[in-house]
Amino acid sequence: MKQRIDHVAPFALVALFTIVVQGLSLMEFLPLPIALLAGAGWAVLIGLVARWIRRRPALSAWVEDGLVALGCVTMALLAFGGAIGLVMLGAALDSSSITGETMVTMFLPSIPVAIAANVPTELVILPGLLVLGWRPGARRILFVAAAAVYFVHRVWTYLVFAPDRLDFAAAERSTAVLTTAEKDQFAAALHVDDPRWVLNLLIFAIILLSAFVSSRGRQEEGSRSAVRRRRR
């Protein structure tokens, strides 16, 4: 029974993670049932691919470490890039001559950067690590923790931050100097006090820590697989 649960658990987590995150992401463009169905389809696909890779110990080890490295890069981009962006926007709002056009122009580059970091993280990196790293040991705990914090981060983003920021990106680009009231509106729309960078930093630290955790569990799993193949 325990072995069966251990076999199903990573795929159940991947399904929950992917369906909810992708459902929230796609509901801006698709009806909710179709968005959830698309998320479920991707969960099945990424789960099957990760399972196929996991059955090949050498390839699995290479892919797992590669996803950890890529996860460090994407989360560093979100954590440090996002924090710097908020500082810059906050400083710009303190200027006595800032215009709406300048604020929108400053904000727009952050959208493709966030997409470039979030898309591989939520579609491939974390779902893949949940399956490939699902074995007893510290790495599994770290992968689950990273996925859990990221899950909270994305749900929080889509329900609270994304609508305001997308509306801001489409705002009128006035060349008039912003009044104090307009600056307050811009600050609220941009969420310049956005605390999500703390979660980004935490996820980055967790994934980075996993890169230094011993892969003894993976080596033992590979040895057991080799023994089973020889017995066959």
Side-chain angles (χ1 to χ4, degrees), residues 84-227:
I84 292 171
L86 289 173
V87 170
M88 291 178 62
L89 291 171
L93 286 172
D94 289 335
S95 169
S96 60
S97 60
I98 196 73
T99 67
E101 180 185 39
T102 302
M103 288 300 301
V104 174
T105 303
M106 286 180 62
F107 170 72
L108 287 178
S110 68
I111 296 177
V113 171
I115 291 173
N118 278 313
V119 168
T121 303
E122 62 192 38
L123 286 181
V124 178
I125 296 171
L126 290 176
L129 290 176
L130 285 173
V131 176
L132 298 177
W134 195 263
R135 56 185 175 275
R139 255 198 171 188
R140 179 169 72 179
I141 296 172
L142 292 171
F143 291 158
V144 172
V149 177
Y150 187 87
F151 181 86
V152 171
H153 176 282
R154 298 312 290 159
V155 171
W156 190 7
T157 296
Y158 289 125
L159 296 183
V160 178
F161 293 92
D164 288 343
R165 288 192 168 182
L166 288 176
D167 290 343
F168 178 83
E172 181 180 353
R173 304 183 188 185
S174 172
T175 57
V177 175
L178 295 176
T179 64
T180 301
E182 288 173 333
K183 287 181 181 180
D184 291 340
Q185 292 175 355
F186 273 49
L190 286 169
H191 296 275
V192 292
D193 57 348
D194 182 359
R196 289 177 306 154
W197 67 270
V198 177
L199 295 184
N200 286 331
L201 188 59
L202 178 59
I203 299 166
F204 167 71
I206 293 172
I207 297 178
L208 181 63
L209 180 59
S210 73
F212 297 94
V213 170
S214 171
S215 59
R216 180 180 176 183
R218 182 172 64 198
Q219 294 167 354
E220 292 175 351
E221 186 179 77
S223 298
R224 288 195 296 268
S225 298
V227 170

